[in-house]
């Protein structure tokens, strides 16, 4: 066997060792996400935020909602939840949980989450919020998904190669005829609309919700407070900017941030970090408090904002329409784990149901909230 010359071997080793340094250098050279707040794009975003809605669907009888699927889906998946086939769609990794893009036979590209409890969290939280009328993406739980052209463990493989700045090798070397099966995955389709982005500044933060102004056509104070309380009830602790989207519903796609947004909607699109600090963990979910204290109505750690009394009453009125049977269906269909053993799916989801109901009581039984200043009329359009 021919031996590699020492000089060549040394050069190869040096190249391997320097790759992480190059990777870190490239990260630090990325543009700062903070946008120019005097720019036309930023003022356009601020205008859209002020006019944004949080409810995407008209009022309906919540007690009639079927939580075995995403409610209000105008374009439901015409797929067999027992078996789905798709083709791997290469895309750079951004998140930290296992996921990849995949093209369905009809050409639609969807996001597939696998091998993570974020699946259960996102399925349940998305279906619940949609049932209450909030704007969310559409989720489907699939028993087995066959991916054509998928590399082994597509997310972790690509992420490892990207660390060394050689992610492109995965696309050049993949075999389109190879197939890999994944069990119990979440298939996600984004709610229709154009995501409003400024460079690599994306989404919105819960601390910006005070910008929404009903006098400009935005959601009412009580509707915004209902969204804040749902963030607290679900324990949506990973509510960073890029886990939410500002969607212009009149446009099918594109990201032209200087175009006015005629029909803005605030969407929470990544709800994987819910139902406990460790994602779908009953003990830590039970420990998460709705209120920061008994006096006053300041939200807990995730939403440090005063909730209005109208918002509290409006939220309670909607949540109390969700029955224990519906919650049982919700947690069972999302394959929640056993609260003690962690076995998936749980034979008994009643601990999850009772914890949810206790959080509703925590909101309902709280002392009346003091009058809070509002930015407009307090009457909801969803009465």
């Amino acid at each position: 066997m021919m031996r590699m010359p020492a000089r060549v071997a040394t050069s190869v080793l040096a190249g391997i060792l320097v790759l992480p340094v190059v990777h870190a250098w490239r990260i630090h050279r990325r543009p700062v996400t903070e946008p120019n707040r005097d720019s036309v794009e930023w003022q356009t975003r601020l205008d859209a935020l002020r006019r944004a809605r949080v409810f995407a669907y008209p009022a309906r009888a919540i007690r009639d909602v079927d939580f075995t699927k995403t409610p209000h889906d105008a374009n439901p998946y015409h797929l067999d939840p027992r078996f789905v086939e798709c083709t791997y769609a290469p895309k750079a990794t951004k998140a930290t949980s296992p996921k990849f893009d995949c093209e369905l036979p009809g050409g639609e590209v969807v996001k597939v989450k696998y091998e993570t409890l974020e699946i259960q969290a996102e399925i349940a939280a998305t279906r619940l919020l949609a049932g209450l009328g909030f704007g969310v993406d559409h989720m489907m739980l699939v028993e087995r998904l066959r991916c054509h052209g998928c590399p082994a463990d597509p997310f972790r493989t690509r992420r490892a190669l990207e660390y060394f700045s050689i992610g492109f090798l995965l696309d050049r070397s993949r075999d389109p005829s190879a197939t890999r099966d994944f069990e119990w995955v979440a298939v996600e389709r984004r709610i229709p609309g154009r995501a409003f982005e400024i460079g690599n500044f994306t989404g919105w933060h819960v601390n910006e919700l005070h910008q929404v102004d009903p006098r400009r056509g935005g959601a009412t104070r009580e509707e915004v407070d209902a969204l804040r309380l749902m963030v607290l009830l679900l324990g949506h602790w990973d509510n960073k900017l890029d886990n939410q989207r500002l969607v212009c519903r009149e446009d099918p796609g594109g990201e032209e941030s200087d175009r006015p947004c005629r029909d803005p909607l605030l969407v929470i699109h990544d709800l994987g970090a819910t139902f406990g600090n460790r994602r779908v963990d009953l003990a830590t979910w039970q420990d998460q408090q709705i209120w920061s204290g008994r006096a006053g109505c300041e939200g807990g750690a995730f939403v440090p904002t005063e909730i209005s009394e109208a918002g509290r009453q409006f939220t309670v009125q909607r949540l109390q329409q969700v029955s224990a049977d519906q919650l049982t269906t919700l947690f069972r269909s999302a394959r929640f784990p056993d609260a003690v053993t962690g076995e998936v799916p749980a034979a008994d989801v009643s601990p999850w149901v009772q914890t949810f109901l206790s959080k509703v009581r925590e909101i309902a039984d709280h002392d009346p909230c003091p009058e809070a200043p509002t930015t407009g009329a307090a009457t909801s359009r969803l009465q």
Side-chain angles (χ1 to χ4, degrees):
M1 181 182 295
M2 183 179 296
R3 298 181 61 183
M4 182 182 297
R7 181 176 297 178
V8 175
T10 302
S11 299
V12 171
L13 179 60
I16 293 174
L17 292 176
V18 82
L19 280 172
V21 178
V22 173
H23 177 77
W25 175 75
R26 290 180 62 190
I27 289 176
H28 287 296
R29 286 184 69 250
R30 289 174 185 168
V32 178
T33 57
E34 186 66 21
N36 177 5
R37 295 176 185 264
D38 294 324
S39 66
V40 173
E41 291 84 357
W42 182 262
Q43 294 305 315
T44 303
R45 176 187 182 274
L46 186 58
D47 173 67
L49 187 61
R50 287 169 176 159
R51 295 183 293 103
R53 305 289 185 92
V54 297
F55 284 96
Y57 309 107
R60 63 178 295 181
I62 295 174
R63 290 190 179 276
D64 295 334
V65 172
D66 177 7
F67 285 115
T68 63
K69 57 186 178 182
T70 304
H72 299 288
D73 190 352
N75 184 27
Y77 291 111
H78 296 290
L79 303 171
D80 184 347
R82 296 169 298 179
F83 180 69
V84 169
E85 291 189 89
C86 61
T87 301
Y88 181 63
K91 185 178 180 180
T93 61
K94 291 183 179 180
T96 57
S97 58
K99 64 186 73 173
F100 60 91
D101 283 8
C102 214
E103 183 178 338
L104 298 175
E108 180 182 5
V109 176
V110 295
K111 188 176 297 297
V112 178
K113 278 192 174 184
Y114 67 102
E115 295 179 2
T116 172
L117 279 173
E118 285 195 10
I119 293 171
Q120 285 91 328
E122 193 153 16
I123 290 287
T126 296
R127 290 175 178 175
L128 176 67
L129 288 178
L132 294 173
F134 294 97
V136 291
D137 293 333
H138 305 300
M139 306 291 298
M140 179 181 181
L141 189 63
V142 175
E143 184 173 349
R144 186 160 62 97
L145 179 136
R146 176 164 295 165
C147 176
H148 296 269
C150 257
D153 198 345
F155 174 79
R156 296 182 182 91
T157 301
R158 175 172 288 279
R159 196 177 185 200
L161 292 175
E162 287 175 348
Y163 182 81
F164 293 101
S165 303
I166 52 175
F168 62 91
L169 293 179
L170 184 63
D171 303 332
R172 293 181 180 179
S173 62
R174 66 189 181 95
D175 181 4
S177 64
T179 61
R180 297 190 184 277
D181 286 4
F182 301 84
E183 294 185 351
W184 294 113
V185 302
V187 174
E188 172 188 326
R189 174 199 290 130
R190 288 194 166 191
I191 190 171
R194 167 173 59 95
F196 193 101
E197 301 180 358
I198 304 176
N200 60 4
F201 184 92
T202 63
W204 53 272
H205 195 275
V206 291
N207 291 339
E208 294 185 286
L209 288 173
H210 70 280
Q211 299 278 3
V212 179
D213 188 350
R215 295 171 301 184
R216 302 282 297 275
T220 66
R221 171 63 187 273
E222 63 197 62
E223 292 170 345
V224 171
D225 281 344
L227 179 58
R228 290 179 172 125
L229 284 170
M230 290 309 302
V231 168
L232 290 163
L233 186 151
L234 295 170
H236 176 46
W237 55 267
D238 191 16
N239 51 43
K240 59 194 177 198
L241 282 165
D242 54 3
N243 278 345
Q244 283 80 235
R245 292 199 318 281
L246 175 58
V247 174
C248 304
R249 288 194 287 178
E250 73 276 4
D251 293 332
E255 298 172 358
E256 297 85 351
S257 56
D258 59 343
R259 274 197 291 133
C261 192
R262 294 194 302 274
D263 188 10
L265 175 70
L266 298 180
V267 174
I268 303 177
H269 77 88
D270 191 336
L271 287 152
T274 48
F275 299 102
N277 289 344
R278 293 190 290 269
R279 298 175 172 84
V280 193
D281 181 83
L282 185 66
T284 57
W285 187 37
Q286 291 171 334
D287 289 341
Q288 291 171 346
Q289 301 298 309
I290 301 291
W291 310 105
S292 62
R294 189 68 200 178
C297 285
E298 183 174 348
F302 313 133
V303 186
T305 305
E306 287 288 332
I307 304 296
S308 68
E309 176 62 12
R312 186 182 74 88
Q313 294 284 356
F314 174 67
T315 307
V316 169
Q317 183 270 333
R318 298 185 74 75
L319 284 173
Q320 286 182 339
Q321 295 181 54
V322 182
S323 69
D325 287 343
Q326 284 177 302
L327 292 171
T328 299
T329 298
L330 177 72
F331 292 123
R332 279 182 177 167
S333 64
R335 302 184 79 245
F336 263 51
D338 186 277
V340 178
T341 66
E343 182 180 351
V344 179
D348 179 16
V349 296
S350 60
W352 296 100
V353 173
Q354 294 306 314
T355 299
F356 185 99
L357 294 174
S358 72
K359 289 183 176 292
V360 174
R361 289 192 296 271
E362 187 179 349
I363 300 172
D365 296 344
H366 191 77
D367 294 339
C369 297
E371 289 296 326
T374 62
T375 55
T379 302
S380 170
R381 289 179 285 270
L382 294 175
Q383 294 288 350

